[in-house]
Amino acid sequence: MQRPAGSVAFVVGSSAVVALISASILYLLPNPGAAVGAGAFGWTEGVAARSGPPVDNQGHLYVLDGWGGVHPVGASPALATTAAWPSKDIAYSLALFPDGTGGYVMDGWGRLHPVGGAPAMDSGVYWPHWIGAREIVMAPWSSAGDPAGYLLDADGGIHAFGGAPAAMGNAMWPGQGIARALVLSAASTRDAVLGYTLDGYGDIHPFGGAREVFGSAHWTSDTARGIVLTTAGNGLFVQGYTLDYSGGIHPFGGAPAVSASAAWPGRDMADSIVTWTAATSDAPGGWVLDRHGEVQAWGSAPSLKPTQTWPEWDIARGLAGAGSGGGSTERLVLDPQPSGDAWGAYFNQRDSRWASHGVGAASFPVWQIGCLLSDLAMVYSHFGLRSVTPATVASHAGWFNGHGAIYNSALNVPGHTTVVSHNPTAAWLAAHVSAGHPVIVGMNLPSGGTHFVVLTGRDGPLDYWVNDPWEQNAMHVHFSGDWFTRGPIYEAFAFI
């Protein structure tokens, strides 16, 4: 996103967050012989935390999409949902009770929305100006009658709800947003909880007296996407797996190596990981969710078919089974977006083909401040100049100042006249769009900053069709709606 000359360049606030997350609640063998007490649990407490044997989650497995939809996998029964955001990618995590009958969708602000038979529940946190909620997990003893659990925030904070005991001694990374996943031990009780958080580099951090983990994978960049715990065959080590963004599944604590049915070398495609509750300790298995909604089996788990996929979207947000939870956020840089329609080309500033290109002589890339220049490239294409892309516009050093703000001279499309209006009226906008003129509008966003989109046509007397260069696949979408990228229009450029 980007402002024209004479205004301050900015960094857009939006729904896109670099980070992704996922997790599952499964088994952790407590330290053999440990005394019973705060932070130390014997095997009896680990078993007693559950009301019975775990449900086979291949029949209770669900995919969450970013708009709040909960979709059965395989033969899983449908679960009713209570919230949906048709034009806002803000549903970030789904977690289910151990019996699989219900649970909660968590939005990015930290609110909880019942699924299935779950009652209404307040997470105890709400950040209206910070999309900082990363994941929700349900306690091992939770049920519709006792819906206790935990919410992980982006900086590592763990927030108990439903009467669950507070998490103690968890790692924190204030302002870094690097927390990726939370997993609880089955030894957690109504009096004390223990488990682990995962950071983006793959490091696993115990809390509540949980034992240290050995042999986990580590990366020098934000690569880790999820963690699961499994039952150790010898009872000596905490065992499980971490998931990397390309689909690699990495054992720790002596867990056996497993094979994955899909991998995406070098691509950020893996979204969430769940273990199969019916797998044995010597033959673990489970499923990985990719960003398009496909469910990929790993290890000994059977192949299962999801009921919904989104081949052109990064919109699958979590895979959850009975007793587990998972979640993620949207990628910052997107796969190549749709090429366009009869109106002209569609360009997204976060498209991997130019997202990292510098803007003029500025140090900012196109993904960060390139909304106006992407809009301009779309206007060029509308007038038949199809060779112009956001990368083409960004490469014109003379069109930008040192902060990346665009000069008005850049808005002169060859063979056409540009009309500028500061604080345009509704009648001015309607007249130009009705006459077939593409109009770029600049808006002040409620979250701060500004954003520019192209009005491509009218849809009735009160709405417009828009090409939005920030939202995914936002070609020929309505201006109205619950968008992150909409706000009061303060200026406009009509091209005649």
Side-chain angles (χ1 to χ4, degrees), residues 2 354 356-366 369-370 373 390-407 410:
Q2 184 173 331
W354 43 73
S356 299
H357 288 216
V359 176
S363 59
F364 300 110
V366 170
I369 63 169
L373 69 87
T392 310
V393 178
S395 67
H396 283 269
W399 285 358
F400 305 91
N401 69 15
H403 300 289
I406 195 168
Y407 293 122

Side-chain angles (χ1 to χ4, degrees), residues 46-142:
V47 173
R50 293 186 182 274
S51 59
V55 171
D56 187 342
N57 60 358
Q58 71 170 305
H60 298 274
L61 193 65
Y62 300 85
V63 171
L64 171 70
D65 69 46
W67 305 301
V70 176
H71 309 275
V73 177
S76 301
L79 290 177
T81 58
T82 58
W85 301 267
S87 56
K88 189 186 292 292
D89 180 2
I90 193 61
Y92 279 8
S93 182
L94 170 68
L96 301 179
F97 303 133
D99 64 7
T101 60
Y104 296 91
V105 168
M106 181 202 75
D107 67 37
W109 300 292
R111 292 174 298 194
L112 304 181
H113 308 273
V115 172
M121 174 58 60
D122 186 351
S123 68
V125 298
Y126 175 55
W127 304 288
H129 303 297
W130 181 48
I131 303 176
R134 287 294 171 267
E135 185 167 85
I136 178 182
V137 298
M138 303 309 300
W141 65 86
S142 65

Side-chain angles (χ1 to χ4, degrees), residues 26-27 54-58 229-232 241 256 258 274-287 298-302:
L26 274 147
Y27 300 108
V55 171
D56 187 342
N57 60 358
Q58 71 170 305
L229 303 178
T230 58
T231 304
Y241 301 88
V258 295
V274 166
T275 55
W276 182 25
T277 54
T280 60
S281 61
D282 59 344
W287 301 274
W298 57 270
S300 63

Side-chain angles (χ1 to χ4, degrees), residues 382-479:
H382 174 72
F383 290 128
L385 302 169
R386 294 275 181 156
S387 63
V388 177
T389 70
T392 310
V393 178
S395 67
H396 283 269
W399 285 358
F400 305 91
N401 69 15
H403 300 289
I406 195 168
Y407 293 122
N408 288 340
S409 59
L411 302 174
N412 295 323
V413 178
H416 298 274
T417 300
T418 303
V419 180
V420 180
S421 177
H422 300 290
N423 196 23
T425 66
W428 187 94
L429 293 170
H432 277 286
V433 178
S434 296
H437 305 152
V439 177
I440 296 176
V441 296
M443 297 167 289
N444 289 310
L445 301 182
S447 58
T450 61
H451 183 49
F452 290 82
V453 300
V454 185
L455 307 183
T456 62
R458 299 193 68 184
D459 182 34
L462 300 177
D463 210 351
Y464 293 95
W465 294 111
V466 172
N467 281 2
D468 186 326
W470 179 268
E471 299 287 347
Q472 285 189 71
N473 298 316
M475 176 182 67
H476 196 65
V477 298
H478 285 107
F479 184 85

